Amino acid sequence: MSENQPAQNPAIVFREETSDWAILFNPQNGCTFGLDPVGVLMWRNIDGVKTLSDHVSAVRHACEGVSTNVAADVQSFLADLRDNGLVI
Amino acid sequence: MPSTLPSAMTTPRYVDLEITGRCNLRCSYCYHFSSPGDVGHELTTSEWLDFFEELGRNQVIHVMLGGGEPFCRKDLPILLQGIAANRMRFSIVTNGTLLDETTAAMVKATDRCDMVYVSLDSYRAEEHDVFRGSGSFADAARGLEILRAGSVPFSIRMTLHKQNYRALRNTADFALQRAGADYFSANEVSYFGLCRANVKDLILSPAERSEAMTELFLLYESYGDRVKAFAGLLSEAVNWVRMERNRQGHAEPEEGFGCLAGCTGIWDTLAIRADGAMTPCVQLNHIVLGWVNNDEVAQVWRNHQELSRLRAGRQTSLGTFATCRDCEYRRWCKGGCPGLAQSLLGRDNVPCSETCLRAHYMGGGTLPQPAALPSD
């Protein structure tokens, strides 16, 4: 496990609010973090093994009309998760 | 405008638990006693713990413990540990009189407590005790001190009635300055439970309600977000002020207004009676949707026809009701609380007369003109 291979924080509750939107809930501090369908896809793929480029590929594979900035977007998303203690 | 129904969440995000039906007090306006939730039987420790596991599996994130008086349960430490073990947070609604250093430390130690809501009806003992019982102010004040000393997050909730609404300012000052509460909020007594037998002495008139609303906005100006408007009279005042401004400005109505959409709880919250009955709300606790540890929460939440019926209120235009048809506020109104409508009118699928702005005006009420509105 490293910064390049993020893993889900096991304390976090992944709550599927609807069929494709979700929130991440940290019961230790009560904070919630909303996930859109792409965020849900990425969260499910975070396993402590996959790298940034794996996540970028997964998004490209699953989504249509992906932005040319997708790598930066994915990196930013993972940084947000890390900053909020959601991944380790 | 009536709208297409949004999808309900896959499971409830929040659950309100009447963790016990017992209480050491008999407040004259208690919503619980003599309501359908006033049942003799309550779930055992192991039954609650089994249920908390199911809530955890369903990714419920918060439970509100009320009743009854939660601190009447001697097994509360075990129950709170069960809630925390299943990755939920909790809040407690209490009269504060049974708190001691040990219980406060226990609550703190869980590290999962969002708030302890303590009922306090006045800064003066005689005014608090008149409907809650002799000595209850002293006991509650001691409880508040214990919570503060133990660094437990706590909030004071004042229940407004004819005898105490003029003490609003001083009670809020007491709560936020002297007692050191994180927040202050004010509900008003309503047509539930024991209050139904004491309406004449308790329920605010439109003029009294107007006075209390004005004071609440002034308190908000003084204390900002430490005065909460998530429910109760300030919340209602905010809704009414918005409705009046929208009417005067001929604002385009937003989706979800002009129909029976006053209840948001049926979209994210389930309630459980002390005996384990699942209900849509503590104020609609005559509707039994299923039974704890017998029926699956997720199935009840998604498929029960009574919840579907209540949610479908959003497709019922207020214009279909004779009481609303010619109302100039109708397009910006949501019809109020179905639980209160049930209690007052015997039906939950009609607009609630008690939270009607036009009825407030017709009864002699006025609306404050606040400089700023609380966000929620």
Side-chain angles (χ1 to χ4, degrees):
Chain A
M1 219 301 298
S2 74
E3 192 166 303
N4 296 324
Q5 295 169 293
Q8 296 175 358
N9 178 344
I12 301 302
V13 176
F14 172 65
R15 177 180 156 75
E16 297 175 89
E17 298 260 272
T18 62
S19 58
D20 50 4
W21 289 70
I23 60 170
L24 299 174
F25 170 65
N26 185 345
Q28 292 166 337
N29 59 18
C31 290
T32 56
F33 188 96
L35 296 178
D36 65 11
V38 179
V40 170
L41 167 79
M42 285 194 56
W43 178 259
R44 291 187 194 281
N45 279 329
I46 291 172
D47 57 4
V49 176
K50 292 186 181 66
T51 64
L52 173 64
S53 74
D54 294 329
H55 290 294
V56 172
S57 298
V59 171
R60 281 203 171 108
H61 180 72
C63 305
E64 293 178 4
V66 172
S67 152
T68 52
N69 293 328
V70 62
D73 291 344
V74 168
Q75 190 166 26
S76 170
F77 176 74
L78 291 173
D80 269 354
L81 294 181
R82 195 176 301 110
D83 292 346
N84 285 281
L86 302 167
V87 295
I88 49 179
Chain B
M1 67 185 73
S3 54
T4 52
L5 290 180
S7 300
M9 293 178 174
T10 51
T11 58
R13 188 189 288 175
Y14 314 111
V15 177
D16 292 340
L17 308 173
E18 291 186 331
I19 201 78
T20 178
R22 290 171 285 142
C23 186
N24 58 319
L25 302 181
R26 282 297 181 279
C27 307
S28 305
Y29 36 77
C30 177
Y31 76 90
H32 170 74
F33 287 108
S34 84
S35 81
D38 182 11
V39 289
H41 170 68
E42 61 186 46
L43 297 182
T44 64
T45 309
S46 63
E47 286 170 331
W48 278 121
L49 292 176
D50 287 348
F51 183 57
F52 295 157
E53 287 184 17
E54 184 182 5
L55 295 184
R57 287 196 301 275
N58 281 284
Q59 300 110 30
V60 170
I61 66 174
H62 183 272
V63 292
M64 177 77 81
L65 276 64
E69 168 52 48
F71 289 101
C72 280
R73 283 199 73 125
K74 300 300 180 200
D75 59 355
L76 195 62
I78 299 169
L79 297 179
L80 296 185
Q81 287 164 16
I83 290 166
N86 286 286
R87 303 196 299 175
M88 295 179 281
R89 295 183 69 82
F90 65 86
S91 297
I92 303 176
V93 179
T94 175
N95 61 41
T97 61
L98 299 178
L99 282 161
D100 58 28
E101 285 79 1
T102 306
T103 51
M106 174 273 294
V107 170
K108 177 74 177 171
T110 64
D111 204 27
R112 295 292 185 275
C113 178
D114 277 341
M115 193 61 65
V116 176
Y117 294 96
V118 182
S119 299
L120 196 77
D121 289 351
S122 177
Y123 68 107
R124 288 196 299 241
E126 61 273 21
E127 212 160 44
H128 176 90
D129 289 357
V130 65
F131 290 123
R132 290 192 178 269
S134 181
S136 58
F137 178 88
D139 290 343
R142 191 181 60 249
L144 293 171
E145 183 51 41
I146 288 168
L147 290 171
R148 181 162 75 166
S151 300
V152 178
F154 71 98
S155 175
I156 289 179
R157 300 213 302 189
M158 180 180 182
T159 303
L160 298 172
H161 50 70
K162 278 184 180 297
Q163 314 296 326
N164 74 346
Y165 75 96
R166 288 204 161 119
L168 193 44
R169 160 66 63 173
N170 286 337
T171 305
D173 289 342
F174 175 88
L176 296 171
Q177 294 178 27
R178 190 161 154 198
D182 294 297
Y183 305 112
F184 173 82
S185 63
N187 305 319
E188 59 180 321
V189 294
S190 201
Y191 295 83
F192 295 106
L194 296 179
C195 179
R196 293 171 62 90
N198 300 295
V199 166
K200 187 167 56 70
D201 297 328
L202 292 169
I203 300 267
L204 298 178
S205 69
E208 291 163 342
R209 190 185 275 180
S210 305
E211 202 176 316
M213 284 178 168
T214 300
E215 190 62 76
L216 281 165
F217 278 121
L218 292 172
L219 284 169
Y220 178 72
E221 281 182 27
S222 300
Y223 289 106
D225 286 338
R226 290 183 74 197
V227 174
K228 287 292 180 189
F230 49 76
L233 200 57
L234 185 53
S235 169
E236 187 164 280
V238 169
N239 288 337
W240 282 355
V241 168
R242 285 194 178 126
M243 285 168 65
E244 186 59 76
R245 289 178 179 176
N246 284 334
R247 184 193 66 84
Q248 290 177 7
H250 306 288
E252 193 61 34
E254 296 172 32
E255 175 141 346
F257 286 80
C259 56
L260 289 177
C263 180
T264 56
I266 49 177
W267 298 95
D268 59 19
T269 307
L270 189 68
I272 309 296
R273 286 192 330 212
D275 60 354
M278 300 179 193
T279 72
C281 171
V282 293
Q283 293 170 338
L284 285 170
N285 55 10
H286 64 292
I287 301 175
V288 177
L289 307 170
W291 292 92
V292 162
N293 302 330
N294 187 50
D295 298 293
E296 290 182 23
V297 165
Q299 290 301 318
V300 167
W301 179 255
R302 288 175 205 157
N303 301 324
H304 200 284
Q305 61 184 13
E306 282 292 284
L307 277 176
S308 301
R309 179 184 65 78
L310 288 164
R311 290 169 185 152
R314 284 179 68 120
Q315 293 178 313
T316 304
S317 168
L318 295 178
T320 60
F321 299 100
T323 50
C324 303
R325 201 163 293 140
D326 64 345
C327 178
E328 55 189 336
Y329 299 97
R330 172 164 58 85
R331 295 196 301 155
W332 301 281
C333 180
K334 290 187 170 184
C337 167
L340 190 51
Q342 172 71 38
S343 188
L344 277 167
L345 307 166
R347 293 173 64 193
D348 58 32
N349 56 355
V350 293
C352 175
S353 52
E354 190 62 16
T355 50
C356 170
L357 175 56
R358 186 167 67 160
H360 175 73
Y361 282 142
M362 290 170 70
T366 57
L367 265 191
Q369 303 293 326
L373 291 181
S375 54
D376 53 28

